[in-house]
Amino acid sequence: MSEYVKSLIAQVKAKNPSEPEFHQAVQEVAESLDLVLERHPEYRSAKILERMVEPERVVMFRIPWADDQGEIHINRGFRIQMNSAIGPYKGGLRFHPSVHLGILKFLAFEQVFKNSLTSLPMGGGKGGSDFDPKGKSDNEVMRFCQSFMTELFRHIGPDIDVPAGDIGVGGREIGYLFGQFKRLTREFSGVLTGKGINWGGSLIRPEATGYGVVYFAQEMLKTKGMSFDGATVAVSGFGNVAWGAVEKVTELGGKVITLSGPDGFIHDKDGISGDKIHYMLKMRASSRDAVKDYSDKFNVPFYPGKRPWSVPVDVALPCATQNELDTADARELIKNGCKCVCEGANMPTTLDGVKVFLDAHVLYSPGKASNAGGVATSGLEMSQNSMRLPWPKEEVDLRLHQIMRNIHTTCVETAEKYGTPGNYVSGANIAGFLKVADAMLDQGLV
Ligand code: NDP
Ligand code: 2IT
C-alpha cells in the first residue's frame, strides 16, 4: 500500500470516529486504487478520492410516531447523498435497530461504485432509520413510514434522489412511503423504486438482486468451465435477496441446501425448491425474523446461533448482512471444497476474510459487483417511469442479464489491465472509480 493511500485511510479514521464499517469500505476501495492513482496523477492532484469519502450532503432528522397503544416513540432518520457525479443519488433505505450514521455511510459509499458499474446514470446514496420493524403491526409500520417521509420528501425527487428498499424495507414500506410523498407534493412520479406493479413498479424488481447474483456467479463459474447444474449451494439470509437467488439457482439445476437468520441456520439436504421457496416469503412477511420456522415446517435440522459456512458446498452466496463471514468461515469453506463465493449482501465478508479468498484463488466477487442487479433494475424502473411505458417481464430480465454479464466482463478486463488478473475486488473498485472520477474532473471543483 502506498504512503498516500495509507495516510488517506488514517485521515478517514481520524475524521470519522466510531464508524468502523465506513472505514472498512473505504479501506477496501482505497487499497485497490494504488496503481490507478500512480498511473493518473491528475486524480491525486484534483483530490478526487478525498472528495469521494466526504458525502455531498447528510440529512438527519427526528421521526416521531405513535404505536397502537398510543405510546409515542422517537426514531432517527437519515439520508446520505454521497455522490451525484454521474446521475441523481440512488440507493436503498434500511430500517433496522443497528442503523447509525456509519452504517449508512458505508452503504452509500459502496453504492457509488456499484451504480457506476451498472453503466446506468445513477449517483450513490443511502438512507434509513434505527426503527425495528420486528413485531410491529401493519398500522404501526404505516404511521412510521408516513412520519419518515414527512421530513424526507423535501430532500428527494425523481431527478434529485431516488430511494428504494434494503433490509427491513420491501414492497409494503415503499407503498406507504410513496403514498405520503404523493400526498405532500401532489406529484405522481418515479421518486421511489420497488413500487407496486399497478402504480409504476417494474416487473422483476423484487427478484432482481437475487437473480443478478446468480447471473454473475454463472459467469464466474464459466471462466473455470463450471456451471450451477448439479452444484450444491449455501445461501445465508432468507430475505428478498436470498429468495431471488434460491429461485434462480434452482431454475439452473443447482441445489440450495442452507438458509440462515439471526437465530441460526437450517440445512435441507433435499434442496430448497417448489413450495419451500414460496415459504421463504411467508417467513419474511411474518415479521418474526426467525429461520427456525422453516425447520419446524419441513422437519430439517436447525443449528441455533450458527452460520451456514461449515456445510460443504460448491458455491456460497452470502445474502444476509455485513460482516457475516469471517476468516475462520472463509477457511472452512475453502477446506470443504467451495469453488466460488459470490456476494448478494453488501460487504458480508470481513477484510481479512476477503484476503483468505484472494490468497486461495477461489472465485470471489464483492457485493458491489455481484449484487448490482437490484439497483440496475431500479434504474430500469426509472427509465420506464420516465417513458411512462412499462416493459414486459422478458425485456427487463434480458436487460438485467445483459447488465450482469457486462459488469462481469468489466471486472475481469479491468483486473487484467491493472495487473491483478482474476481479482474481482480490484476489477470492480477500479472500474467503478474511473467513471465517477472522470465525471468529477469534467465537472470542476464541486
Ligand atoms: P431483508 O430484510 O429481506 O433480509 C435481511 C435480513 O437478514 C434481516 O432482516 C436480518 O435480520 C437478517 N440477518 C441479520 N443478520 C443475519 C445473519 N447473521 N444471518 C442471517 N440473517 C441475518 O433484506 P434484503 O434481502 O433486502 O437484504 C439483504 C442484504 O442484501 C443486505 O446486505 C442488503 O444491503 C443487500 N442488498 C439488498 C438489495 C435489495 O434490493 N433489497 C440490493 C443489493 C443488496 P435481523 O433484523 O434480525 O438482524
Ligand atoms: O444495496 C442496494 O443496491 C440496494 N439496496 C438497492 C438500491 C436501489 O436503489 O434499488
Side-chain angles (χ1 to χ4, degrees), residues 25 69 99 127 148 165 228 249 256 345 387 407:
Q69 284 68 47
V99 162
F148 184 83
F228 271 109
V249 168
V256 178
M387 289 190 300
I407 298 175

Side-chain angles (χ1 to χ4, degrees), residues 404-435:
M404 297 315 294
R405 278 206 204 99
N406 288 344
I407 298 175
H408 182 269
T409 307
T410 304
C411 289
V412 169
E413 288 180 357
T414 310
E416 187 93 33
K417 189 170 165 193
Y418 284 88
T420 53
N423 184 333
Y424 289 85
V425 177
S426 69
N429 286 336
I430 295 171
F433 169 83
L434 287 174
K435 186 173 166 190

Side-chain angles (χ1 to χ4, degrees), residues 94 96-97 107 114 126 132 134 165-169 205 209 236-242 260-262 264 284 289 307 319-322 324 344-346 371 374-375:
R94 177 176 289 194
H96 194 270
L107 289 161
K114 182 192 312 193
K126 199 86 185 189
D132 187 359
K134 201 161 164 176
D166 192 75
I167 292 180
V169 178
R205 176 62 188 91
T209 313
S236 63
F238 66 94
N240 172 267
V241 180
S260 73
R284 174 52 70 222
D289 212 9
R307 296 157 164 177
C319 294
T321 193
Q322 64 273 356
E324 53 157 321
N346 285 309
N371 75 29
V375 74

Side-chain angles (χ1 to χ4, degrees), residues 16-141:
N16 305 276
S18 320
E19 297 179 4
E21 293 85 1
F22 180 55
H23 305 163
Q24 184 181 341
V26 170
Q27 183 166 337
E28 191 221 83
V29 169
E31 283 181 1
S32 298
L33 294 177
D34 255 343
L35 192 59
V36 182
L37 297 167
E38 198 182 294
R39 282 193 198 171
H40 298 275
E42 67 274 21
Y43 297 139
R44 268 179 71 163
S45 53
K47 301 241 161 103
I48 294 292
L49 199 51
E50 289 86 337
R51 281 194 256 164
M52 277 187 184
V53 298
E54 204 56 58
E56 287 179 16
R57 188 172 301 103
V58 174
V59 189
M60 179 171 139
F61 50 95
R62 178 171 77 197
I63 313 162
W65 60 281
D67 67 21
D68 290 345
Q69 284 68 47
E71 191 184 330
I72 290 168
H73 300 265
I74 315 294
N75 282 101
R76 201 171 257 188
F78 304 88
R79 186 72 183 165
I80 318 295
Q81 299 183 329
M82 200 75 189
N83 193 303
S84 63
I86 61 168
Y89 309 105
K90 180 83 194 91
L93 297 172
R94 177 176 289 194
F95 292 170
H96 194 270
S98 65
V99 162
H100 61 89
L101 186 62
I103 292 270
L104 296 178
K105 277 170 69 183
F106 120 63
L107 289 161
F109 186 73
E110 290 280 288
Q111 200 80 43
V112 173
F113 300 86
K114 182 192 312 193
N115 293 5
S116 164
L117 286 169
T118 66
S119 76
L120 300 172
M122 300 182 290
K126 199 86 185 189
S129 171
D130 57 0
F131 174 72
D132 187 359
K134 201 161 164 176
K136 301 291 187 298
S137 73
D138 219 40
N139 272 323
E140 287 171 334
V141 170

